[in-house]
Amino acid sequence: MDELSFRGPGAFRLSWRHFAYAVAAIGAEWLVSYSQLSAAGVYCVLVGSVLCVGLGFFSWYRSRCTVGAEGIFISWGLGGRTYSWREIRWIDVRETEGEQGKALAVRVFLTNGRRRSLPGLQHNPVYQAPNFYADYHRVVRWWERSTEPGARVRPTAESRDRVTPWIVGVVLAVLIAVAAVAGVAMRG
């Protein structure tokens, strides 16, 4: 079988709306920091924001996974690791519902209990992947040909299966907002 390779940003198209949200968030951050901090503080906040956004973009742009005879290589942009077929217990599709619609991601379950999403094997309203299920089945065929049926163990559902990325984002946004308000209140 031929080696399969999937890149993260392959079908991603950044919309102007998402770009406008990012610019508005950085602009609001700049205004708040400008009114509350010194020039050095404003500079530190803006440099930190640019570094975070830049590293996130770099990681996203270079993310990829390769499926081959040795196993599955996963890289989120900074380094990477190959998971051998004997380390992989199960492969499935995680489906989450969000404001914009359904999001799908292929993930692998490892012998140590950890889970890894495969970059490039995702489908959502922003990252459209018309061949998502065909690619997923190609990965599963590799896995089935490379492992014994007894080594394939479906994991039991856990509470973290119900925690969606959207819920994590909302909780993080609330925590960041509370920390910012507390910081401003303590300063002034």
Side-chain angles (χ1 to χ4, degrees), residues 59-173:
S59 174
W60 161 79
Y61 186 74
R62 292 183 41 90
S63 64
R64 64 189 169 91
C65 74
T66 304
V67 179
E70 295 83 33
I72 299 178
F73 173 77
I74 299 174
S75 172
W76 286 100
L78 305 169
R81 179 163 188 255
T82 299
Y83 296 95
S84 67
W85 291 116
R86 69 183 194 310
E87 290 180 84
I88 299 172
R89 292 286 184 223
W90 195 257
I91 299 176
D92 73 357
V93 174
R94 179 177 182 164
E95 183 176 319
T96 55
E97 230 12 85
E99 281 183 21
Q100 297 178 352
K102 185 176 7 175
L104 306 170
V106 175
R107 62 184 179 173
V108 296
F109 294 81
L110 305 173
T111 55
N112 62 8
R114 295 186 177 200
R115 302 148 191 238
R116 298 288 182 257
S117 291
L118 302 183
L121 287 170
Q122 301 171 2
H123 175 79
N124 60 52
V126 174
Y127 186 95
Q128 298 285 320
N131 299 328
F132 175 81
Y133 283 108
D135 292 337
Y136 164 66
H137 289 297
R138 290 169 52 203
V139 171
V140 169
R141 277 195 301 274
W142 257 107
W143 174 58
E144 289 174 344
R145 288 183 182 160
S146 303
T147 60
E148 296 294 324
R152 300 180 211 137
V153 179
R154 179 180 219 127
T156 58
E158 296 180 9
S159 61
R160 67 180 170 180
D161 291 327
R162 291 182 288 276
V163 178
T164 65
W166 187 83
I167 291 172
V168 171
V170 168
V171 169
L172 283 175

Side-chain angles (χ1 to χ4, degrees), residues 11-20 22 57 60 126:
F12 183 79
R13 300 291 179 256
L14 185 64
S15 72
W16 285 105
R17 184 175 63 135
H18 291 102
F19 182 72
F57 178 78
W60 161 79
V126 174

